[in-house]
Every structure is written in structure tokens, then in C-alpha cells.
Amino acid sequence: MAVFDTPQEAFGILRPVCVQLTKVQTTENVERLQAQLQTISDSALQELQEYVLFPLRFTLKTPGPKRERLVQSVVQCITSILSTTCVKKQDLLQELFSELCLCLSSPSGLQPPAPLSEELKLTVIQALQVLMHSVYGDIILTLYQPSTLPHLGFAVSLLLALAEQEKAKQIKLAALKCLQVLILQCDCQEHHRLLDMVETRQCGNLFASFLPGISTALSRVITGDIKQGHMVTVSAIRLFYQTVCLVMADEQLATITQDEEKPSVEQSRVSELVVHRGPDWVKSTADKLSLLIHKIVESASLHPHWKVRLELVELVHHLMLKCSQSLVESVGHLLKALVGLVNDENNEVQSKCHEILRSTAELRTGAENRALADILSENLHSLATALPRLMNSQDDQGKFSTLSLLLGSLKLLGPKVNIVLNSAAHLQRVSKALMQILELDVADVKIVEERRWGPEDSLGEPSGSLQHGKGQKKYFRFFSDERIFLLIQQVCRVLGYYGNLYLLVDHFMGLYNESVVYRKQAAMVLNEVITGAAGLGVDVLHERETAVSTEDLKGTITSILEEYTDQVNWYLPTSIDTEGTSDELTVKHSRVRAIPRGAHSSSLISSSSPSSDPSPTIRSMNSNIWQICIQLEGVGCFAYVLGKEFRLLLASVLYPVLEKAGDSSLLISQTATGTMVDVCHACGYDSVQNLINGNSDYLVNGISLNLRRVAHQPHASRVLEAMLRHSDASLLPLVEDVIRDVLSALDQFYDDRASSFLGVLSTLVAALVQWFVVGKGKEHPQEQNLDQQSSTSSQKQREGSVITPMVQEVEQFFLDYIKQRQIAEGNLPAMEEEEEEVQAPAPEPEMNDSGAEGEAPLPAHAQIAKDVMERCIHLLSDKSLRVRLKVLDVLEFCVIVLHLHENHLLPMAHHAWPALVTRLINDDPLVVLRAFKVLCTLAEKCGDFLKRRFSKDVLPKLAGSLVAQAPVSARAGPVYSHTLAFKLQLAVLQGLGLLCEKLDLGESDLNKVADACLIYLSAKQPVKLQEAARR
């Protein structure tokens, strides 16, 4: 297409089209003109600008209604012309400005925006923007004269109405952008004429008339429906602070005197619109703006989109930088917004806040030249006063914002936080607010219900340690969002970092001792204050003046630990137990499912009813559990703070922590284990095992002393239990004497404390199984190490028996075998058999007498297992169901440990047999089930030694029970599989095959077993029973 570069050529092409459009105003003629304009060069079009614009402006000014499509085409054509030319005449600028504004106005004049199509509105707004950008040089300033105030006011009101009332987001954004251009604050990429001081002041005087309307309308847009989109809110916030900074800038207002006259204006009515920015006007306007700023801050600081919050930070930055004197009443609101967003979840918002806070930290502001710290102190006091009420009334998002404000205020105060803390009123407000916020929800019954079920699941190193700073998940009364708790942690740490450590610890220790209600919260705060004082895990804006010395930290921590581990605060009732301790039923988790939850709960409740003391409530026990857990977490925090210096405190701390590691409450046990891991890492130990072994001397001493005072120190066995659970076989020589003390204490207090002692014995034999039986590859090195300490000669004897057995040993082996076979088959005289049953195992003294038989002494671990088994045999008939179950657990482990030492195991099995048979045929179903499992273990390890006894004493009862129960299971429904009777049937059916194989039963006995199992092959029986019978 040809391009016409000269005005003459262009005029020849455009004249017919322009004349035709002037005569007939149609969309087609406008489009024809638009097409011809594409062939004209920019320089030629600049010369013919007014000529080409005339028919278009004439079309807009023609009286009468016009079709929207025609108006839209005309405005688009004007926009096209202005985008390639410059407006160089004042009259043309003002006329075009008015004509375009009239396109948006209502004919009636009552409602400024006319009910036009969205396309037309958007086109006109874009044309206004292009017009403002096309003005050449100083011509733009002619639009900003007092005489043009009505025109500017009309345009401003139109654009504000569109931004506020329109639904379309594009129109809202375009109207706000046009307003930004109109106040000469455009931030686009095009080159704009920069205003000097006088021109800026002139524009400020002019727009002071529009400030109330603009700020009010924009505040409504900012706080409007969130559905309008975040970009609309961002643009409105930017326009708000740009307008306020233009009118209320301190630099401008400082040059305006009280007696300055209003500018002279020819029209008297126009002169009434001009505002004089005197002190009275500034104060009145600042008061009104303060209300709007407060409203904007409250809304935008909670906006879900980070760009809105970032723009709010920019608003604070600009107003505090340029208007800190004129808007002194708003400084509190601006600081509130800034410190509230300093912990924003978005990194960009957070970093921008930190940048601004650092630059304004030493800012002095206010009518009386008060320091920023004074304002922050007042805000902090009022916030702390309102904090409990806000925590009750706000949702989690509101609480998060409020606490962010509290944390930001503390950070901004920095070292001057002591100004607040030295005031008793301030400190009291802040501390009581923290006490209320951190109140735990202790109504959940699951905290008490969760118990530790048996030692074998916890042997060895913990699978995962608790990370420092997290601890157990806590549930609070007044919030559920985890972010809120993290904020509170930071508040406490910042207080510890900047505050007087002795003052804070003394105050919160006072609250700790003041009331049980505050004790848990005060302990949490103390833990975090100490962490913050050490400068760990705390985010600050300013460095403190002097750091806390290690000696001060150590002294403070020592005093807190003494309070934590005091008997009044450490030994709290956490469960209901007939023995008066916290030891609970430690049957295996696999068997707990056989007991319905309701029955288990009722048994616990009923067991406490005979007690004369008032039983603790669920809430009080939950509260006690949480208090102990928080104090244990505190021990981990203090170890983290002191590092290897904490080793000096292990002598007083490790023993009570190990007590809690053996606690029956799952929550306490897990927390104590996590604390040991934290202590281990802090003190430089490779593992918990090394921690225990390295400090075993005074641990063993403490256990020995406390075992002599069981009535006053009932938890000594827990420490040994925890040591065994978290160590390895190298610990055994160190605690061998203590184990003897435990057995002696059991002999003395078996009537009332058997359950707690059996707990530690269960852990002991489970550990022996883990160390010497399960780890076959490690068995021989460990045995060699232990045997060297006990008897070197026995080790050589054992090695010789494995590699090159001597003739005498082989001969003795067969003699012993024949003798035991005769005993098993009952071929001894009746009198000798009776003597054998009345007196304890006759061969035992001979077996222990290595000189008589030439047999090596038992290894240390096997001797311990034998001694434990001897005690447990006597307790098999105890009246307590709980004790009998624990005894059966211990017996099974003892059998496994002793299976390599048959000469000692068989007499013990013979001695235990009568009581075990009684448990099998005449006891509670739970005990029967457990006793049958012990029987299976015995059969596997003892072989045909039990053949005759089993055939005579047990098999008829088992077969008869299976036959009698078969009709019941055949008629039962699907729920039957959850009953204890079903589990007993299943266990017997699954174990009979192993018993038949291991005991080498005769044909008659096998027939009995086959007859009993044959019934369970019926299709009417449950599938699991059929499968068990088939095997």
C-alpha cells in the first residue's frame, strides 16, 4: 500500500472522506476514514491533525441520540490519530478532553456514568489515556489550572464511579489507570515530563479539592468484594497513596504559610472550589484520612493474595517517607500494617517489610517529637490488653494477623523492648496474654488412653527422633492453626533475645509456681525464652547490645531444671492404678485387640473405686501428662542451648528423664525418648546407647539406692527398663548387680509391687533375646566378650565342645540324655518321681557344680534368665490376672534365652509344668491363650522332653475343648471372628501341628488331634479355622 508523506498528497486523499463524514455521520464513513489514515505518514498526519479530527469531533457534538456503534467507531478513530500525533494546542486539548468525558456522561446529568455498553466505556477510557499521553511539552500544565477545576472534577467523578460501580474487571482497571495518568503519576514505560517543585505544588493545590472524594471512593474499592480480583485492589491502593502523597507531602506543606491567599480566579464560583492547604485544613484532612487508612490496613492486611499485601507495604513506605508529619495520627495504623506483615508467609512481602522496618527503625515522629519506641510501646500495651479478647473472638486468620502484629512490634522495638518489660504493667499484660493464648485443650480422653504396650517394640535405637523445636503436637483451646503456635514461639524467643533474662525467668517462674492453671503455659514460654536468649531459632531485625554469657545461661537453666524435676512437679498422677503408681497394663499390643475398648475402660475405672483417695479426673491426668511432656521438651531445649556444656548437668537430669522414658503413658515415653536424642546430639554422643553407657555409673548407683526404698521411690525399675531398652549387650556387665537387686526386691515385695518389677524383668529378658538370640551373627562375639569378664575357662570349654568334642564330654552327654529320656517317659520308681516333684529340680545342683559334672558355668545372660525364670514360676499362680499375663510373657522370653543350655532349661521346664498346666486348663481365656503360646515355645525348644506330660495332662483337654467349641463356631456369624473364643480356637489349631511335630507324638495321640481337627474342615466353620485345621 502506498504511503503519502507530504501534507498536500495526504490532504488530497483525506479531503473527500472527511467531507463525506461531515455530511453523513455513519459507521461506514468512519471506517473509510480509518482505512485512509493507514496510508498517511505520521509527519503528514501531524500537519493535518485538526482537519482530520474536525469531522470526528463534529460527529460527537451533533445533537440528538447517536448509535453506540457509531460513537465507538469515532472514538477508536480519534484514539488512532492521537496515538501517532501530538496535541500542541491548549484549546484542542481541553475541548477533546471535555468531548470524550461527555461520551461517558448521562444525558440527565443525575448519574455521571451513562448506561452504555462495556465496549464503549472501555474505548472512551482508553482514548482519554492516549490523549493525556499525546500532549506536547508544557501544554499538559494548562489542564491543571484553577479555571479547569470543573472539567477535571467531572472527569475524576466519572472515572471513580466507573471504578467503583462497574462489574467488568477490565473497565475497573482502565478507569483506575486513567485516574493515575490524570494525577500525573503514570508508571508506564513512555517518557513523561518531570514536574519541578513549583509545578508539583500547583498540582497538589489543585487536587486537594478532589482528595476527599478520591480517597473515600478508593477506600470503598479497596475494601470491596474480593471477587473483583486482586489487580483492581492493587491498582486502587497504588492510586490512593500516590494521590495522598501528592496533596499531603510534608515537603509541600512546609512551604505553605498561614496567611497565604487563595489564588485569584476570574469566576467566583470556581474560586470556591480551590482549597487552601493551611494547618487547619491539613489537620482536619489528616484526621479523616486516618479513619480511611485504618480501614484500608485492616482489610488489605488480611487479603489472601500476596500482591495486595505487598502493595499495602508500599503504601506504608510512601506515606511514612513523604507524609510522616502531616499524617502523624496515622503512623500507628501504618506501623501496625508494617509489623503485622513482617512475618508474612510470602517471602517477597516479608523481605520488603524487613527492608522498610530497618530504614525506619530509628525514625522520630509525632507532634511532640516522640521516639518511635514510644508509639510502639503504647501500641504493644493496648494490643496485649486486647489480646485475650481477640483470641476468643477472632478466627484463626485474624489471630494470625494479630500475633504477627505483636511479633512485629517486638522486633521493631529491638533492644528497646526492655523499656516495655521494665514496666510492671506492660510485662503483666504481655505475660497474662501469653498464658491465656497458650492454654491447652486437655479434654481429649485419647491422651490418657494411649499407653506403651510392651518393651520389645522399643528395643534399640528409636526409629525417628523428635526434631528440636517441634516436640509433640499440641492442641490449644483458642486456635488450631500450626502457624499461630510458631508465631507465639517467635514472640517468646524475641523476648528472650532482647529482654532481661533474669527478669523474664523470674517473672515466668513466678507464674509457674503461682497456679496449676498457668504451669504448662509458663513452662512453654520459659523453654522458648531460653532458646531465644541463646540466639537460636530467632529471627530479628537488630542485633542486641550484649549477648547472654554461657555462665548466665547455665545458672538460669540449672535453676529451672531444679524446679522442673522437683518431686511436686515431676511425679504427677497420669493414670489410675491399683498399685498407686503410673505402671499400667503392659500386655502386648497384639493381644489388646481381644479386649473390647469399653471393657478395658471400665476395668480401669472399677479398679480405682476401692481407693479411699479421690480419683484424678481425665482432665487433670491429661493436664499432668502435658505438663511432664513440656518439661521434658524443656530439657531437650536446654541441652540444645548449652551444647557440650550440658554434660555437667547430666548427673542430675538423665536419671529423671530415663524414668519418664519408661513411663507407661505413650506420650510421656515418646517425649522422653525424643529428649534423650536431643541430649545425645547436643552433648556429642554418637547414640543414645553411648549416652547411657557413658553415664551408667551414677545411673546404676541411683537405681540401687532407690530399690532399697521402693515405698518412697517406686520408679527406680523404670530407669533400668529404659536403660535396657535403649542400649545393647555391652550394658549387661554394668547392670548385673542392679538386676540382682531387682530380683531381691521382687522377693521382698512380690505381694504389692510384682507388676512393676515384672515390667522391668520383661524388658530385661526381651533385651536378652534381642542381643543374644535374634542377632545370631553378633551372638558369638558378644558371648565371648561377656564370658571373658565372667570366666575365661568356660569360654575355652565351650569352644572346645563345638570344634573337637572330647570323649568324656560325649559320654557324659549321652548319659544325661538317657537319664532325661527316662524321666520324660516316667520310667523312674514312683517314690523317686514324687521326690523329684516335691523337691526342686534334683539335677540342678549337679548341673551347677562344674567340678562334679565337668560342665562349664552358664554365661552371664543365661544365668540371669534362669534366675528370672525361677522367680516367675512361683508367680504363675498369682491372684492378679495382670501379673499372670506378665509372668507368661517373661517365661516365654526366658525359654528362648535358655534354649542353647538344655541341661538347665529342662529342669526349669519340669518345675514350671504343673503351674503352666493349671493356666492352660483352668484360667481366664486371656491367660489360656497366652499360656498356649508359651507351651508352643517350650515344645519347640525342649522337644520330646514334654511328650509324655503333654499327652497325659494337656492334649485331652485341648482336644475336648476344640470338639465342644466346634458347634458354636459353626453356627456363629461374621462377628464371631472378633471374639476371644475364636482367637483361642485359631491359636490351638495353628499350634497343634507344631506340637505334634516337635513332641513326636504317638499314633493314638495323633488320632485324637486328627479327630478334633476334622470337625473344623466343615464348610460351616469360619474360613480361617478351616485353613488352620487343614494345615
Side-chain angles (χ1 to χ4, degrees):
M1 183 181 293
V3 177
F4 301 95
D5 294 326
T6 62
Q8 293 78 11
E9 294 174 338
F11 181 77
I13 296 297
L14 293 175
R15 183 176 179 280
V17 184
C18 291
V19 171
Q20 182 64 25
L21 178 58
T22 307
K23 292 180 180 178
V24 183
Q25 292 87 27
T26 62
T27 305
E28 290 75 15
N29 288 337
V30 175
E31 291 175 350
R32 192 174 296 112
L33 174 60
Q34 178 73 42
Q36 292 298 332
L37 289 174
Q38 304 300 322
T39 64
I40 308 300
S41 67
D42 294 347
S43 58
L45 186 58
Q46 179 67 51
E47 296 293 330
L48 299 173
Q49 182 192 55
E50 290 188 65
Y51 179 80
V52 178
L53 286 174
F54 175 79
L56 297 171
R57 293 172 56 199
F58 181 78
T59 301
L60 293 178
K61 291 189 290 186
T62 302
K66 293 178 278 295
R67 290 181 300 171
E68 287 189 4
R69 186 182 173 191
L70 173 63
V71 176
Q72 184 176 346
S73 298
V74 170
V75 173
Q76 287 175 342
C77 192
I78 292 174
T79 303
S80 176
I81 295 169
L82 294 176
S83 63
T84 56
T85 60
C86 294
V87 177
K88 298 182 178 181
K89 293 185 177 180
Q90 173 183 345
D91 295 340
L92 179 62
L93 169 63
Q94 295 182 0
E95 289 173 5
L96 276 174
F97 186 80
S98 300
E99 289 163 4
L100 288 174
C101 289
L102 286 173
C103 292
L104 294 172
S105 66
S106 173
S108 63
L110 298 177
Q111 294 180 346
L116 306 173
S117 66
E118 293 179 350
E119 291 79 6
L120 178 56
K121 291 176 183 177
L122 186 60
T123 302
V124 175
I125 294 170
Q126 291 170 346
L128 280 171
Q129 288 186 47
V130 173
L131 172 64
M132 297 298 294
H133 282 106
S134 66
V135 179
Y136 181 77
D138 294 340
I139 301 298
I140 187 70
L141 295 177
T142 62
L143 193 62
Y144 297 93
Q145 301 295 328
S147 58
T148 61
L149 265 177
H151 302 284
L152 282 174
F154 183 59
V156 168
S157 62
L158 279 173
L159 293 171
L160 285 174
L162 290 171
E164 188 176 355
Q165 298 171 12
E166 282 296 320
K167 300 296 183 184
K169 184 167 65 174
Q170 281 185 325
I171 296 179
K172 283 177 173 286
L173 287 171
L176 292 169
K177 179 67 176 177
C178 191
L179 275 169
Q180 196 177 358
V181 174
L182 202 58
I183 64 171
L184 301 177
Q185 299 293 325
C186 183
D187 53 5
C188 63
Q189 300 298 322
E190 295 185 23
H191 176 73
H192 297 283
R193 183 185 182 280
L194 298 178
L195 302 179
D196 57 24
M197 283 292 297
V198 176
E199 294 167 347
T200 303
R201 180 179 167 186
Q202 177 184 341
C203 290
N205 287 330
L206 202 64
F207 279 98
S209 303
F210 307 138
L211 182 61
I214 292 176
S215 59
T216 305
L218 289 177
S219 68
R220 288 196 294 265
V221 174
I222 294 169
T223 59
D225 192 349
I226 197 173
K227 295 178 182 177
Q228 68 185 356
H230 73 278
M231 287 306 300
V232 174
T233 309
V234 168
S235 298
I237 293 174
R238 184 179 296 121
L239 182 59
F240 180 88
Y241 69 73
Q242 287 175 343
T243 307
V244 172
C245 288
L246 178 64
V247 178
M248 302 293 290
D250 296 335
E251 190 176 359
Q252 290 186 41
L253 297 177
T255 62
I256 298 176
T257 62
Q258 176 72 29
D259 301 327
E260 184 176 347
E261 296 294 331
K262 291 185 180 181
S264 59
V265 184
E266 295 179 1
Q267 301 90 345
S268 59
R269 293 192 63 185
V270 173
S271 65
E272 295 175 1
L273 301 176
V274 180
V275 170
H276 172 60
R277 291 185 290 172
D280 294 338
W281 180 88
V282 170
K283 187 177 186 310
S284 173
T285 305
D287 292 340
K288 295 171 184 176
L289 281 174
S290 178
L291 299 175
L292 296 178
I293 290 171
H294 176 64
K295 184 179 176 183
I296 291 171
V297 165
E298 291 291 328
S299 173
S301 60
L302 298 177
H303 200 282
H305 203 284
W306 67 272
K307 287 188 176 179
V308 174
R309 302 195 299 274
L310 181 63
E311 199 62 35
L312 177 62
V313 175
E314 290 290 347
L315 178 144
V316 174
H317 178 52
H318 282 79
L319 294 187
M320 290 192 69
L321 186 65
K322 297 180 180 179
C323 312
S324 59
Q325 297 295 327
S326 59
L327 297 180
V328 63
E329 298 300 327
S330 301
V331 169
H333 303 313
L334 297 174
L335 284 176
K336 180 180 178 181
L338 201 58
V339 298
L341 294 173
V342 75
N343 297 295
D344 194 85
E345 57 189 15
N346 182 269
N347 292 332
E348 195 168 341
V349 176
Q350 196 175 111
S351 61
K352 187 67 176 178
C353 277
H354 280 100
E355 178 186 337
I356 298 172
L357 281 173
R358 287 191 181 94
S359 64
T360 60
E362 300 301 326
L363 176 68
R364 303 179 68 84
T365 184
E368 301 176 359
N369 203 27
R370 296 178 302 167
L372 184 61
D374 296 336
I375 298 176
L376 289 170
S377 299
E378 290 181 5
N379 289 348
L380 185 59
H381 185 265
S382 60
L383 178 60
T385 304
L387 208 53
R389 175 180 56 81
L390 295 174
M391 291 300 105
N392 273 322
S393 58
Q394 290 180 321
D395 58 7
D396 275 7
Q397 184 60 40
K399 291 170 186 172
F400 180 80
S401 179
T402 302
L403 289 169
S404 295
L405 177 61
L406 174 64
L407 177 57
S409 300
L410 292 172
K411 285 184 175 181
L412 193 54
L413 275 171
K416 296 175 183 174
V417 76
N418 282 309
I419 298 173
V420 180
L421 299 181
N422 288 333
S423 165
H426 282 64
L427 181 57
Q428 190 74 9
R429 293 284 187 185
V430 173
S431 61
K432 285 299 176 67
L434 289 174
M435 293 303 100
Q436 179 163 349
I437 297 167
L438 287 170
E439 185 176 350
L440 288 166
D441 182 7
V442 294
D444 190 0
V445 73
K446 291 181 180 178
I447 300 172
V448 175
E449 277 186 343
E450 289 182 334
R451 317 302 291 169
R452 185 170 54 81
W453 298 107
E456 63 275 9
D457 297 332
S458 307
L459 288 173
E461 203 61 30
S463 58
S465 64
L466 301 172
Q467 295 180 8
H468 174 73
K470 283 192 172 183
Q472 296 287 352
K473 180 174 175 59
K474 301 173 183 66
Y475 298 92
F476 297 89
R477 275 193 63 190
F478 298 108
F479 63 88
S480 57
D481 193 340
E482 182 69 19
R483 298 180 304 157
I484 296 176
F485 180 58
L486 296 178
L487 272 181
I488 297 173
Q489 277 187 322
Q490 280 296 313
V491 167
C492 299
R493 290 178 184 179
V494 170
L495 284 173
Y497 185 81
Y498 289 124
N500 185 320
L501 181 61
Y502 289 107
L503 173 66
L504 289 169
V505 170
D506 182 68
H507 181 77
F508 285 106
M509 284 306 297
L511 291 174
Y512 179 90
N513 293 313
E514 178 183 325
S515 170
V516 177
V517 177
Y518 296 147
R519 192 159 294 165
K520 297 180 292 297
Q521 300 95 300
M524 277 190 276
V525 173
L526 283 169
N527 296 344
E528 300 304 332
V529 164
I530 295 296
T531 305
L536 301 173
V538 60
D539 181 27
V540 293
L541 297 175
H542 320 277
E543 291 296 324
R544 54 188 167 183
E545 296 169 355
T546 56
V548 182
S549 67
T550 305
E551 289 302 318
D552 288 343
L553 280 173
K554 192 186 300 181
T556 305
I557 287 172
T558 303
S559 64
I560 297 175
L561 286 176
E562 287 175 357
E563 199 70 36
Y564 279 2
T565 56
D566 185 79
Q567 288 196 1
V568 178
N569 303 320
W570 197 253
Y571 301 109
L572 302 171
T574 58
S575 64
I576 304 171
D577 187 37
T578 55
E579 291 187 357
T581 67
S582 301
D583 299 327
E584 290 292 330
L585 184 62
T586 54
V587 290
K588 289 185 180 176
H589 184 65
S590 60
R591 300 190 304 281
V592 174
R593 291 190 293 265
I595 310 174
R597 178 170 295 182
H600 184 262
S601 302
S602 63
S603 67
L604 287 177
I605 295 171
S606 63
S607 67
S608 66
S609 57
S611 175
S612 59
D613 298 332
S615 299
T617 62
I618 294 293
R619 291 183 65 88
S620 66
M621 289 189 291
N622 283 349
S623 178
N624 292 339
I625 288 172
W626 274 121
Q627 181 183 329
I628 293 170
C629 288
I630 292 166
Q631 291 170 173
L632 284 166
E633 289 173 2
V635 175
C637 285
F638 302 155
Y640 178 58
V641 166
L642 291 180
K644 291 189 177 180
E645 291 291 325
F646 194 76
R647 288 193 176 203
L648 301 175
L649 303 178
L650 285 178
S652 59
V653 171
L654 189 56
Y655 187 95
V657 170
L658 280 169
E659 276 185 343
K660 296 307 175 185
D663 198 278
S664 58
S665 170
L666 182 65
L667 203 63
I668 294 176
S669 178
Q670 286 181 343
T671 307
T673 303
T675 298
M676 285 197 297
V677 174
D678 289 338
V679 171
C680 180
H681 292 163
C683 295
Y685 289 99
D686 295 334
S687 63
V688 175
Q689 167 195 328
N690 291 341
L691 172 67
I692 292 173
N693 292 354
N695 298 276
S696 60
D697 48 354
Y698 67 84
L699 289 174
V700 169
N701 182 58
I703 296 170
S704 298
L705 291 175
N706 289 332
L707 281 174
R708 298 169 192 170
R709 301 178 297 155
V710 174
H712 303 288
Q713 297 289 339
H715 308 293
S717 59
R718 287 184 185 173
V719 181
L720 179 58
E721 186 178 344
M723 290 175 68
L724 293 167
R725 189 182 308 119
H726 297 289
S727 191
D728 63 0
S730 60
L731 179 70
L732 192 57
L734 303 175
V735 298
E736 195 170 345
D737 292 337
V738 178
I739 293 170
R740 304 293 177 196
D741 293 340
V742 171
L743 294 175
S744 300
L746 176 61
D747 293 339
Q748 187 177 358
F749 299 102
Y750 65 89
D751 284 336
D752 54 349
R753 306 214 56 83
S755 180
S756 59
F757 286 121
L758 284 171
V760 69
L761 293 179
S762 179
T763 303
L764 170 63
V765 291
L768 295 179
V769 171
Q770 184 77 21
W771 298 338
F772 298 100
V773 179
V774 175
K776 285 261 184 178
K778 299 179 182 179
E779 177 181 345
H780 297 297
Q782 287 174 345
E783 282 195 18
Q784 287 177 4
N785 187 29
L786 293 173
D787 292 342
Q788 284 173 1
Q789 299 176 27
S790 59
S791 175
T792 307
S793 60
S794 64
Q795 177 192 1
K796 294 178 180 178
Q797 185 80 13
R798 185 169 61 256
E799 288 178 351
S801 65
V802 174
I803 302 171
T804 56
M806 299 173 65
V807 177
Q808 294 87 345
E809 293 177 4
V810 175
E811 181 181 0
Q812 183 62 40
F813 171 80
F814 283 108
L815 289 173
D816 290 340
Y817 176 80
I818 293 169
K819 184 175 181 179
Q820 296 300 331
R821 184 66 180 265
Q822 288 174 348
I823 293 173
E825 294 177 357
N827 291 334
L828 291 177
M831 185 158 314
E832 190 174 344
E833 187 173 345
E834 286 176 5
E835 282 182 6
E836 188 183 57
E837 291 180 358
V838 173
Q839 301 174 5
E844 185 176 301
E846 298 177 7
M847 292 180 181
N848 288 335
D849 187 2
S850 59
E853 296 290 340
E855 184 182 345
L858 277 174
H861 69 278
Q863 185 62 50
I864 290 172
K866 181 181 177 182
D867 294 341
V868 171
M869 191 171 181
E870 284 179 351
R871 268 73 171 187
C872 290
I873 289 172
H874 296 294
L875 293 173
L876 268 175
S877 56
D878 193 274
K879 61 183 179 180
S880 169
L881 170 65
R882 197 162 39 168
V883 170
R884 297 199 300 275
L885 287 170
K886 285 187 176 182
V887 166
L888 289 168
D889 282 337
V890 176
L891 276 178
E892 184 177 7
F893 287 130
C894 289
V895 170
I896 296 173
V897 174
L898 289 172
H899 81 281
L900 294 176
H901 310 281
E902 194 177 65
N903 289 344
H904 296 271
L905 174 61
L906 296 183
M908 298 301 296
H910 168 76
H911 190 45
W913 183 257
L916 182 61
V917 171
T918 306
R919 304 284 75 76
L920 279 165
I921 64 178
N922 186 24
D923 208 327
D924 185 277
L926 271 175
V927 178
V928 174
L929 181 60
R930 195 70 197 91
F932 183 77
K933 293 183 178 179
V934 175
L935 174 64
C936 293
T937 304
L938 267 174
E940 183 179 357
K941 305 303 180 186
C942 298
D944 57 2
F945 175 75
L946 300 177
K947 176 179 179 181
R948 181 176 180 82
R949 302 164 191 266
F950 177 75
S951 301
K952 177 183 176 183
D953 301 331
V954 178
L955 183 58
K957 298 289 185 180
L958 289 179
S961 174
L962 285 175
V963 173
Q965 197 66 24
V968 178
S969 58
R971 295 193 303 268
V975 181
Y976 183 72
S977 61
H978 298 283
T979 64
L980 196 56
F982 171 82
K983 293 176 181 178
L984 188 56
Q985 282 176 283
L986 184 61
V988 172
L989 287 170
Q990 290 174 340
L992 272 177
L994 175 67
L995 289 170
C996 293
E997 180 184 352
K998 295 296 182 182
L999 299 180
D1000 193 18
L1001 295 181
E1003 185 176 350
S1004 60
D1005 293 333
L1006 291 176
N1007 288 336
K1008 291 178 185 178
V1009 174
D1011 292 341
C1013 295
L1014 190 61
I1015 312 171
Y1016 287 91
L1017 295 177
S1018 169
K1020 296 180 181 179
Q1021 296 289 343
V1023 176
K1024 287 187 177 179
L1025 295 183
Q1026 293 181 46
E1027 293 175 355
R1030 190 179 302 117
R1031 293 200 201 97

